[in-house]
Amino acid sequence: ATYRGASSSAGEWGHTTLVYGGRACRCGARGCLEAYVGAEAIIDRYREARRGRPVPGEDEESQIAALVAAAETSATARRVLDDTAGYLGAGVANLINLFNPERVVLGGWAAMALGDLLPAVREAAGRQALRQPYEQASIELCRLGVDAVALGAATLPIARFLTEGGIRR
Ligand SMILES: [Zn+2]
């Protein structure tokens, strides 16, 4: 059986709780995954790390690009990216534990821009996920980043699960 949780439920995944009582999310709840790893949230966390100084760039894409570029020399920017990988990895670990997917595919322009974080995301997921399902799952970047944007997921890295046998329908 093939299970495509994804395109339809990625938004809901973004609103699973990562930190109880954590950062305010646009959905009205607190501590959602999206409140940490959505593009807007990443930029907010970077601005806070800069003690409120605005992040350069005219839109979210250029601000994320500025963050990635700054991380080469700035420990502050590096920390924001490392934290992002950790949060995203924890979110992916939740997916792995719940669905035992064969693959988790991260898409959307933010995921593409943050592609260098993939090894750290995998590592963080490995720390949080149950061992057996983690070892059975691959975590990859979606090559169809443009498609993910077309699905309206520009502010959130999407996860798609393409699994065989993980979930019976
Ligand atoms: Zn939310």
Side-chain angles (χ1 to χ4, degrees):
T2 297
Y3 171 64
R4 292 174 184 268
S7 16
S8 59
S9 65
E12 286 83 346
W13 176 56
H15 298 284
T16 55
T17 303
L18 189 65
V19 180
Y20 175 74
R23 299 174 62 86
C25 182
R26 66 185 170 85
C27 76
R30 287 193 167 270
C32 297
L33 180 63
E34 184 178 319
Y36 292 83
V37 306
E40 188 182 341
I42 293 170
I43 293 160
D44 279 349
R45 289 193 293 105
Y46 184 34
R47 187 176 57 235
E48 289 164 14
R50 290 158 56 87
R51 299 181 185 183
R53 279 189 299 139
V55 178
E58 292 177 357
D59 54 22
E60 288 183 347
E61 292 185 64
S62 52
Q63 288 175 309
I64 292 282
L67 165 61
V68 170
E72 291 179 18
T73 54
S74 155
T76 300
R78 187 69 251 167
R79 170 71 62 87
V80 170
L81 287 185
D82 289 347
D83 287 347
T84 301
Y87 292 133
L88 192 52
V92 168
N94 289 338
L95 291 177
I96 287 173
N97 286 351
L98 282 170
F99 298 110
N100 191 19
E102 196 169 74
R103 295 199 295 160
V104 175
V105 183
L106 302 172
W109 64 262
M112 301 307 283
L114 299 168
D116 288 348
L117 295 181
L118 190 58
V121 171
R122 288 189 178 122
E123 197 180 303
R127 286 196 300 270
Q128 293 297 122
L130 295 169
R131 190 169 156 188
Q132 189 182 353
Y134 174 72
E135 287 175 351
Q136 292 171 341
S138 68
I139 303 168
E140 303 161 25
L141 282 181
C142 182
R143 291 163 204 274
L144 304 174
V146 174
D147 176 49
V149 171
L151 290 170
T155 60
L156 178 73
I158 302 199
R160 284 192 192 142
F161 329 108
L162 302 169
T163 123
E164 292 182 6
I167 290 181
R168 288 187 195 162
R169 315 195 64 173

